[in-house]
Amino acid sequence: MQINSDNPIWKKLILGETQVTLRYLAAKIALSHLQLKVRIGKNGYTVEKAALELYQVYKIGENLPAVKIDIQTFLNC
Amino acid sequence: MEKYLKTPQETAQLILSGRKLLLAGNEDLLSKLPQGEWIAGTSPYFMDIDGGQVCQDKIFVNDITDFQEEISIKVYTEDTIKNIYKDGFDNGFTVLIIPPYSNVHTEFAVHAPDYENFATRPLMGWVSCYSFPQDNKSGKTFFKTGDSGSTTNAVAMHVKLPKNKYAEMDLINLYTQGNGDEIIFLEDGFNAKDVLINKEKQNFAEYIRKKHIDTTLPIVANYNSAMINVSIESLSTNQVNLVAPVFKDVKYRFAKSIENLESDFQKFAVKNNVNPVCASICILLYYYAKLEGKQCGNIYAPITNGEICYQLVNQTVVTLEIKDV
C-alpha cells in the first residue's frame, strides 16, 4: 500500500482533522467506531491504537477499488 | 432464469453432488437435509425472481460453489463469536447466520465493533426468522446436517476467493437522518429508558409518545456517510425496545419520512443495479415497503429478522457481489 502505518493521515482521520468522503464501506463503519472509542476513551483506546486499526482495515483490503480510491484521496490531502 | 426457491429434493441433490450452499427455509424442511457443505437459517419469507413471497414448501438456495476456492464452516457461541473476523480468509468473505434473541445474537450485536480485526474482511449475513408466520417459533440455524438445528448457536461459512476475484459488500438504505432532535443513548443495548434529547435527559418512550413519532421510521446514525438504522420494536410504559442495539454516545436522529416507500424502494433497488451472489432483506422492509409480489431489482434473498453488514443493521438490504480484480 502507498501509505504506511506510521503516516500521520491515520491519526488525522481518527481525530477528525482530515475530513474526506470515504468510498470504502468497511472503513466508514470502522472509522466511526474508532473515533468514538478514542473520544470516550473506551477500553483505554489511544489515537495510536485506533490509527493502526484503521490502517489494517485498508491494508487487508488494499486491492479493492474503493480502497484504492480512498488511498488516492489521502495522498492528495 | 432459474428460481432460487427449490424443492427439498432438488436441494438434497445439490448437497449430495458436493455443492456449497447457503440455505434458508422452514425448520421441518431444513431438518431433513442430508450431510454436506451447507449452512442455513429459518425463514418463511423470500425474494425470488417472481417477487416477494411466503413459501413453506421450498428452500431458498444460494449456491456459491463456482465462486469459491475453499470454504470453512464454523459454529459460534457467545464465547467464540469474537473470533468471527479473525477466522475469515484474507481474500474472501464470511456469511454469518444468527438465531434471534439468543445470547450469541446479543453478544455479536453489542460487541462486534470491539472484535479483533473488525471490518477487515467482508462479513454479511442475517438473523434467522421463525419458520411460520402464523406462530412465533424461535428462529434456528443449521450447519452441515439436518439434525444440527439450534436456537443458541450461530453458524458461519468462511469463503476463500481465487486471487483474481474480490468480494464487495453494499448496504442499500433508503433512510437518512431527519432534521429532528439529536438522540444520545446513555448505554449500549437493545432497549432504552432515559436518553439525552438535544443534551437534555428525557424518557425515550414518553418522548416518542409526546411527539407522536412514527415508529415505523428507524433511528439513524451517520457513520461517515454510511447510514446505519436501528428499528423500533415496541414501546412499553417507560422503555423502548429496539431490534438492533444502539451505542452509547453515538448521535442518532429519527429517519426522514419517506412519502412513498413502496414505489421509492422499487426505484432505488433498480437504480442500484447490483447483482449479488448473496443478500439479505429486512422483514420490516418486506412489510413497510409492501414487497409481497414485488421485485427488488436483481436482488434475490431470504427476508430476515435483521441483517449483518460488518455489524447488525435493520431496515436495509445487504448485498455481496463477487467481482474480477
Side-chain angles (χ1 to χ4, degrees), chain B residues 174-180 214 217-220 253-259 261:
Chain B
L174 257 72
Y175 295 100
T176 55
Q177 280 191 322
N179 298 319
D214 174 7
L217 295 173
I219 51 171
V220 182
R253 292 178 198 275
F254 270 96
K256 201 177 284 179
S257 184
I258 299 172
E259 206 167 303
L261 181 63

Side-chain angles (χ1 to χ4, degrees), chain B residues 31-45:
Chain B
S31 66
K32 294 184 179 77
L33 290 175
Q35 188 162 355
E37 298 299 298
W38 58 275
I39 63 168
T42 47
S43 179
Y45 304 96

Side-chain angles (χ1 to χ4, degrees), chain B residues 7-53:
Chain B
T7 65
Q9 294 76 17
E10 289 169 331
T11 310
Q13 277 172 3
L14 288 169
I15 292 170
L16 292 171
S17 65
R19 308 298 290 183
K20 291 149 178 58
L21 308 176
L22 305 166
L23 306 175
N26 94 43
E27 182 180 338
D28 294 340
L29 303 185
L30 296 174
S31 66
K32 294 184 179 77
L33 290 175
Q35 188 162 355
E37 298 299 298
W38 58 275
I39 63 168
T42 47
S43 179
Y45 304 96
F46 308 97
M47 178 62 65
D48 204 343
I49 56 175
D50 50 353
Q53 59 198 277

Side-chain angles (χ1 to χ4, degrees), chain B residues 19 47 59 73 79-80 99 105 112 151 165 178 183 206 209 214 239 241 243 246 254 256 278-279 284 293 303 321:
Chain B
R19 308 298 290 183
M47 178 62 65
I59 295 168
I73 291 174
D79 296 323
T80 60
H105 179 201
T151 55
K165 303 277 183 196
I183 305 158
E206 280 173 20
R209 278 192 282 265
D214 174 7
Q239 179 172 290
N241 301 308
V243 181
V246 286
F254 270 96
K256 201 177 284 179
C278 52
L284 294 175
I303 289 161
E321 292 181 283

Side-chain angles (χ1 to χ4, degrees), chain B residues 39 72-77 80-81 84 87 96 104 141-144 148 150 152-158:
Chain B
I39 63 168
S72 158
I73 291 174
K74 290 200 172 181
V75 178
Y76 290 94
T77 65
T80 60
I81 190 68
I84 189 73
D87 290 345
L96 175 66
V104 69
T141 59
F142 290 81
F143 74 104
K144 289 190 174 180
S148 63
S150 173
T152 56
N153 293 335
V155 293
M157 186 182 283
H158 299 286

Side-chain angles (χ1 to χ4, degrees), chain B residues 106-121:
Chain B
T106 306
E107 163 56 35
F108 176 81
V110 176
H111 296 121
D114 298 329
Y115 293 165
E116 195 175 339
N117 292 351
F118 173 70
T120 50
R121 296 163 177 86

Side-chain angles (χ1 to χ4, degrees), chain B residues 171-175 215-219 227 229-233 243 255 258 261 265 281-286 288 304-307 313-318:
Chain B
L171 182 65
I172 299 177
N173 188 0
L174 257 72
Y175 295 100
T215 53
T216 66
L217 295 173
I219 51 171
M227 298 293 156
N229 303 337
V230 175
S231 308
I232 308 292
E233 185 172 85
V243 181
I258 299 172
L261 181 63
F265 184 78
I281 300 171
C282 183
I283 193 162
L284 294 175
L285 277 178
Y286 182 81
Y288 298 159
T304 63
N305 239 341
E307 310 78 72
V313 294
N314 296 148
Q315 273 176 264
T316 57
V317 179
V318 177

